[in-house]
Amino acid sequence: MQCIYIKADKRDPKAPAIFAANGQGIKLDVTVFDIDMSLCCYCNLCTYPCPTDCIYMTPEYEFATTDLSNHLYHFAKKGAKFLTVNPKPPAPKPAAPPAAAAPAAPTTPPAAPPAPAAPAAPATPVPEGGA
């Protein structure tokens, strides 16, 4: 539907790093980011390829107005403040196990389980009628 219009330039590599909300570094300076909601068909297909998860759908759908220019949203703002610290830094790498200086002592096999007790002698049957 061509309802999203973006114009961007590569950021200067010497510029301080800035980050998106998901922790991904921003590599472009966006000068125009407009969405014309009067052209949007609310298909949700723009949310999947968004690399920083910044485009998402909401349950709001009542945008009635008599002026279609009210449906044009300008998201790129001059002088916008950006995150200068990564909100989701990468997880630290696990420490390497220390190198063993001496081989580990061999383990002794577990002791054998005790032998089962001898079965008890069968009880002498008592004849019927008493002894």
Side-chain angles (χ1 to χ4, degrees), residues 13-57:
K14 297 174 187 166
I18 57 175
F19 300 92
N22 69 352
Q24 182 177 352
I26 297 175
K27 297 176 179 76
L28 299 173
D29 281 327
V30 178
T31 56
V32 176
F33 186 156
D34 295 344
I35 299 179
D36 188 349
M37 297 305 285
S38 67
L39 298 175
C40 180
C41 65
Y42 300 92
C43 64
N44 201 28
L45 291 177
C46 59
T47 61
Y48 300 113
C50 181
T52 58
D53 302 325
C54 292
I55 300 176
Y56 54 90
M57 294 298 206

Side-chain angles (χ1 to χ4, degrees), residues 27-129:
K27 297 176 179 76
L28 299 173
D29 281 327
V30 178
T31 56
V32 176
F33 186 156
D34 295 344
I35 299 179
D36 188 349
M37 297 305 285
S38 67
L39 298 175
C40 180
C41 65
Y42 300 92
C43 64
N44 201 28
L45 291 177
C46 59
T47 61
Y48 300 113
C50 181
T52 58
D53 302 325
C54 292
I55 300 176
Y56 54 90
M57 294 298 206
T58 66
E60 298 177 30
Y61 57 89
E62 294 289 339
F63 296 109
T65 182
T66 57
D67 185 3
L68 286 180
S69 65
N70 290 338
H71 290 291
L72 183 59
Y73 297 99
H74 305 284
F75 291 102
K77 310 249 190 294
K78 290 189 184 230
K81 297 190 188 241
F82 294 95
L83 298 172
T84 57
V85 177
N86 189 345
K88 295 185 179 179
K93 294 182 180 178
T107 59
T108 57
T124 309
V126 178
E128 285 186 29

